[in-house]
Amino acid sequence: MTEVPEHLLKRSKDRRTSLDGGSPGEAAAAPAAQSAPIEKATAAAAPAAVVPAAAPEPVPPYVEAALTRKKIPYWAMPVLAFLPLWAVIFIGGLSPSSNGEPSQLATGQAIFATNCAGCHGAGGGGGVGRVMTDGALVATFPDIIGQLEFVWIGSNGTGPAGTPYGDPARAGGQHKTMSYNGNPMPNFDKSLSQSQLLAVIRYEWETLSGGKTTVDAEGNITYADGKPMLDAAGELITPEGKLLFDPVGKLTIQPNWTTPSGSKS
Ligand code: HEC
């Protein structure tokens, strides 16, 4: 058996290696050599790969702002601290009177809208019932207590058709019942309380007709001398404190027709 010289074996082996890309013996080293370029490629591709990966769940700017800002700004602390107090003041400001109930005039306006506007017009301009604007009611009733009586008992309670009512010296002539269009003014002594009557009469006489009134600290109408027109039970009283109406609803004191404005007795 002929011996193949060692150097020839080596040359042959080198030749094979150069032809087939390496022997199994060198294959273990080849991946290591090849992995370097692959890692390089991955590293080069990495920045591009990170951006598409982040795209599916971007952090919205408002979320980011919510996560990074202070939870309550320092300037808002006193604002928040006084918020309850402001709420009380604000709600109190909505209610015209101190006890939280609507003012007398607001009550009167609501009663007018429900009970009177249908005949006298939404703004008192007249209709089935008489005109109330431009001083008309103040002319008929220079003393507001006369109007209280007329509305309490109505045309029929005042007397038969043609009964005069209100100021006898009324400019343009004293009014007589059933003289406007033949219809009676209904009586309201069954459907309104006396304090409700006062509220709606005040609204008509003052707001719609322009009469001048005197009011107390709560904004409720008084007699011209400041005496109350209602007692603690809500009944109409005279300046002397007696009931203003007798059992059939007629005045217990004479109206002062000569007082051009305000309610005097
Ligand atoms: C059903 C229709 C009707 C309703 C509702 C009505 N009125 Fe009248 N009102 C009249 C008529 C009609 C007259 C005229 C009466 C007459 O000539 O006898 C009148 C007259 C009056 C007068 C007299 C005015 C003047 O200058 O002579 C007053 C005050 C008055 N009404 C107030 C009221 C008030 C307050 C209410 C609501 C609480 C009311 N009226 C609801 C029909 C109505």
Side-chain angles (χ1 to χ4, degrees):
M1 195 164 167
T2 310
E3 266 234 286
V4 180
E6 223 13 76
H7 71 276
L8 289 179
L9 282 175
K10 182 171 188 315
R11 196 201 299 173
S12 163
K13 189 181 171 186
D14 288 346
R15 182 68 184 149
R16 272 201 317 273
T17 300
S18 67
L19 282 176
D20 65 9
S23 69
E26 288 168 352
Q34 278 168 8
S35 74
I38 286 168
E39 269 170 13
K40 229 180 235 164
T42 307
V50 165
V51 173
E57 38 181 344
V59 179
Y62 49 86
V63 171
E64 200 175 59
L67 293 173
T68 52
R69 68 170 170 241
K70 286 199 197 85
K71 292 307 169 228
I72 300 172
Y74 289 127
W75 61 262
M77 299 290 188
V79 176
L80 294 173
F82 283 106
L83 215 48
L85 179 64
W86 284 340
V88 169
I89 293 170
F90 178 71
I91 290 164
L94 292 178
S95 312
S97 64
S98 54
N99 58 10
E101 287 169 10
S103 71
Q104 188 176 45
L105 268 184
T107 301
Q109 182 172 21
I111 295 169
F112 177 84
T114 311
N115 295 278
C116 323
C119 288
H120 289 277
V128 174
R130 281 186 179 273
V131 173
M132 296 182 161
T133 50
D134 296 328
L137 292 181
V138 181
T140 307
F141 305 104
D143 187 335
I144 200 171
I145 66 170
Q147 190 185 339
L148 287 168
E149 180 195 62
F150 186 73
V151 174
W152 193 241
I153 60 181
S155 298
N156 290 325
T158 301
T163 303
Y165 64 89
D167 184 3
R170 186 191 197 281
Q174 188 175 20
H175 280 174
K176 296 182 171 70
T177 56
M178 313 290 222
S179 66
Y180 179 57
N181 55 9
N183 289 308
M185 164 65 199
N187 57 303
F188 280 88
D189 56 350
K190 305 289 188 290
S191 49
L192 294 181
S193 70
Q194 293 196 7
S195 64
Q196 289 175 321
L197 175 75
L198 181 61
V200 69
I201 293 309
R202 182 187 164 194
Y203 172 74
E204 293 178 352
W205 197 83
E206 178 180 326
T207 304
L208 297 182
S209 203
K212 300 251 183 310
T213 57
T214 312
V215 295
D216 63 15
E218 273 85 49
N220 296 323
I221 185 174
T222 66
Y223 288 100
D225 57 7
K227 297 261 178 63
M229 296 187 74
L230 293 168
D231 65 11
E235 301 291 294
L236 285 161
I237 52 173
T238 69
E240 289 71 40
K242 308 231 170 67
L243 289 179
L244 185 66
F245 292 149
D246 70 10
V248 295
K250 297 264 190 181
L251 291 173
T252 55
I253 55 173
Q254 284 300 306
N256 184 353
W257 300 128
T258 59
T259 307
S261 69
S263 49
K264 264 191 167 171
S265 65

